[in-house]
Amino acid sequence: MQKAILEHFSEEHGIELDINSQITLIPLVGEGRIQDRVDLLLCQLVASTDATTGEGEAEGESSTTTGTSTIATGSQEESKNVRALRQADTVLISAHSQGVVVSAHLLDRLIDMQIIDPRKQRVGML
């Protein structure tokens, strides 16, 4: 995905992006029924653990119930993923098949939680 994004912007638009400073990839993986997957992916995304590395802080965590799941959130500091989403100029969500439905529900939750603000950010689903 990362390589395809860089190639697309370079070839189609003549824009060279620095993957380390201009694009943040947040891969999420989950199985099960739609609502279960939404809950699982939301936990992965907002937990103080970085979903891409599995690293996180156990100190100062609290839990918040959202829907049918309990989400661990750092009480002193937002997760790296949440910070990246809040600071993003554009949020693009890529999914296929049943993941499209899951992504739509996940985006709805992120907007409700004010992690993504479509009034200030461009949001697209691919």
Side-chain angles (χ1 to χ4, degrees):
M1 173 80 57
Q2 178 180 3
K3 184 178 176 184
I5 290 170
L6 294 175
E7 287 176 3
H8 172 77
F9 277 96
S10 177
E11 293 172 9
E12 298 294 322
H13 305 286
I15 299 172
E16 298 296 325
L17 296 172
D18 178 8
I19 192 68
N20 295 320
S21 65
Q22 294 178 312
I23 297 175
T24 302
L25 300 177
I26 306 174
L28 301 173
V29 179
E31 295 183 12
R33 294 182 177 193
I34 291 172
Q35 192 58 50
D36 295 338
R37 287 172 62 185
V38 172
D39 292 340
L40 174 66
L41 299 180
L42 187 61
C43 285
Q44 287 178 19
L45 188 61
V46 302
S48 61
T49 300
D50 182 351
T52 60
T53 64
E55 296 175 0
E57 299 176 18
E59 270 185 50
E61 287 187 358
S62 63
S63 62
T64 303
T65 302
T66 303
T68 58
S69 67
T70 301
I71 300 169
T73 56
S75 60
Q76 297 189 4
E77 186 176 320
E78 289 181 329
S79 75
K80 179 180 176 181
N81 294 330
V82 170
R83 269 194 316 277
L85 286 170
R86 286 188 198 278
Q87 295 172 355
D89 295 322
T90 302
V91 178
L92 298 176
I93 300 166
S94 176
H96 64 89
S97 191
Q98 188 180 12
V100 174
V101 177
V102 172
S103 295
H105 286 278
L106 183 59
L107 177 59
D108 181 58
R109 292 265 200 98
L110 293 170
I111 291 169
D112 284 347
M113 295 171 71
Q114 299 177 349
I115 293 172
I116 293 177
D117 185 352
R119 293 170 295 170
K120 297 178 182 176
Q121 298 168 300
R122 293 182 181 115
V123 180
M125 294 186 67
L126 311 171

